[in-house]
Amino acid sequence: MGVKSASEIINNSMTEEDPNKNIQYSEGAAAQKPRWGPEHAGAKELASKYTRGKRLQETVCLFISIILLVFNFICLVWYFDSSHWHMILLCALLGILTADFASGLVHWGADTWGTVELPIIGSGFIRPFREHHIDPTSITRHDFIETNGDNFAVCIPVMAYCAYQFLFLPREAIPASYNWMMYLFLLCVFVSLTNQCHKWSHTYFGLPWYIKLLQDLHLVLPRRHHRIHHVSPHETYYCITTGWLNYPLELIGFWSTLEVIIESLTGSKPRSDDMAWASKTS
């Protein structure tokens, strides 16, 4: 369920505002084994799988995506018609909603299905999601490239398409597709910023006042709101751009319905790999 009580949140998620590296220990017989945090056996193994090749891919994709974003921004400014300024607001709203839903879909898919052992996508894509559930504040120790490289990467095909349109469409044909390209541009801006918003939602120290204000206004993902997702077993509130869609999607049982359908068709158990990593003790 999307609505969690204060006690559920405290007992089943890591206390991220703890300044002492956010290490928490299990109760009972396994009391000396970290339950969450950077000293958890699974978290250390997953962090070690971040390779130089992955770093290079993130760096190159970030560089290419920024060039394409800047080029498309210049083209949009060049062809801007001030009489249609209100369309920018509509494109921005639709871009935010689309990015929020897309972030939820990707987040749900990577959290719920697949394994780290899968070729290419396992170590390159699923691994960070597994690490994040065991050590949620690891993202606050990642630099800009590691935090945002993959999000910028997925924007490259869309921004390349828009750049092609600006370069090769007849000049008189551009106004007819301008709003569509504005929407795609703003969508990519919000997608590229999604994991940065996610990082801020795990940052309890040193955030600028204006980021805290945006969180308080729920214009970016708030800390308290996202904490609900980190209540084990991480089965809800997957949208991480603004989180606006989390409650309505939970209300209609969107993710749980998809899981029932997929499990009935494939026999795969949701979050089985995620729980296996969380259970590692050595």
Side-chain angles (χ1 to χ4, degrees):
M1 293 295 294
V3 178
K4 305 288 184 182
S5 68
S7 61
E8 282 181 295
I9 293 173
I10 291 170
N11 293 329
N12 296 294
S13 68
M14 192 174 83
T15 307
E16 298 182 34
E17 55 267 47
D18 173 13
N20 187 28
K21 293 186 72 176
N22 295 300
I23 299 170
Q24 288 178 259
Y25 292 89
S26 301
E27 298 177 356
Q32 297 307 309
K33 300 293 184 180
R35 185 182 182 189
W36 288 292
E39 296 305 315
H40 185 284
K44 290 197 284 188
E45 182 178 345
L46 288 162
S48 71
K49 294 178 181 290
Y50 182 66
T51 64
R52 277 192 270 182
K54 176 62 176 173
R55 176 72 174 191
L56 177 62
Q57 172 256 306
E58 291 171 342
T59 304
V60 171
C61 288
L62 187 71
F63 181 73
I64 294 172
S65 186
I66 289 174
I67 290 175
L68 288 169
L69 283 164
V70 170
F71 174 80
N72 280 286
F73 174 74
I74 292 171
C75 291
L76 287 165
V77 171
W78 182 262
Y79 287 103
F80 177 63
D81 181 351
S82 59
S83 65
H84 296 156
W85 65 269
H86 57 284
M87 291 303 299
I88 296 179
L89 299 178
L90 178 59
C91 290
L93 177 60
L94 292 175
I96 290 172
L97 291 173
T98 308
D100 202 38
F101 179 76
S103 73
L105 188 63
V106 172
H107 191 181
W108 166 79
D111 275 6
T112 309
W113 311 107
T115 71
V116 175
E117 287 70 37
L118 285 173
I120 302 176
I121 65 169
S123 60
F125 179 68
I126 294 176
R127 177 200 64 83
F129 290 85
R130 299 291 177 269
E131 180 189 3
H132 183 59
H133 283 174
I134 310 170
D135 183 13
T137 54
S138 63
I139 193 174
T140 67
R141 302 188 293 275
H142 296 167
D143 64 9
F144 188 84
I145 294 173
E146 187 175 356
T147 300
N148 300 294
D150 285 339
N151 284 65
F152 275 87
V154 300
C155 296
I156 290 175
V158 179
M159 287 294 90
Y161 161 78
C162 291
Y164 178 87
Q165 296 289 93
F166 280 122
L167 286 171
F168 297 106
L169 273 183
R171 184 181 178 89
E172 60 275 10
I174 289 178
S177 57
Y178 183 90
N179 290 336
W180 169 242
M181 288 190 283
M182 174 63 77
Y183 161 73
L184 291 177
F185 171 78
L186 291 172
L187 170 60
C188 285
V189 168
F190 297 126
V191 167
S192 64
L193 292 175
T194 287
N195 222 30
Q196 189 64 46
C197 295
H198 182 204
K199 179 177 180 176
W200 289 331
S201 76
H202 287 283
T203 304
Y204 282 78
F205 305 96
L207 272 182
W209 67 267
Y210 51 87
I211 300 299
K212 292 180 182 178
L213 178 61
L214 290 174
Q215 290 179 333
D216 290 342
L217 296 173
H218 207 150
L219 295 176
V220 299
L221 185 67
R223 289 173 290 186
R224 175 77 179 181
H225 180 94
H226 184 55
R227 183 78 173 268
I228 295 171
H229 170 71
H230 281 274
V231 175
S232 183
H234 311 93
E235 60 188 354
T236 188
Y237 276 44
Y238 293 102
C239 300
I240 56 173
T241 305
T242 61
W244 293 351
L245 295 179
N246 280 322
Y247 185 74
L249 289 174
E250 184 65 26
L251 196 63
I252 64 173
F254 185 80
W255 306 115
S256 57
T257 300
L258 284 182
E259 289 171 15
V260 168
I261 293 171
I262 292 172
E263 185 175 0
S264 66
L265 292 174
T266 67
S268 298
K269 296 291 184 183
R271 288 170 291 280
S272 56
D273 187 63
D274 195 49
M275 296 304 293
W277 281 100
S279 301
K280 275 185 174 283
T281 57
S282 62

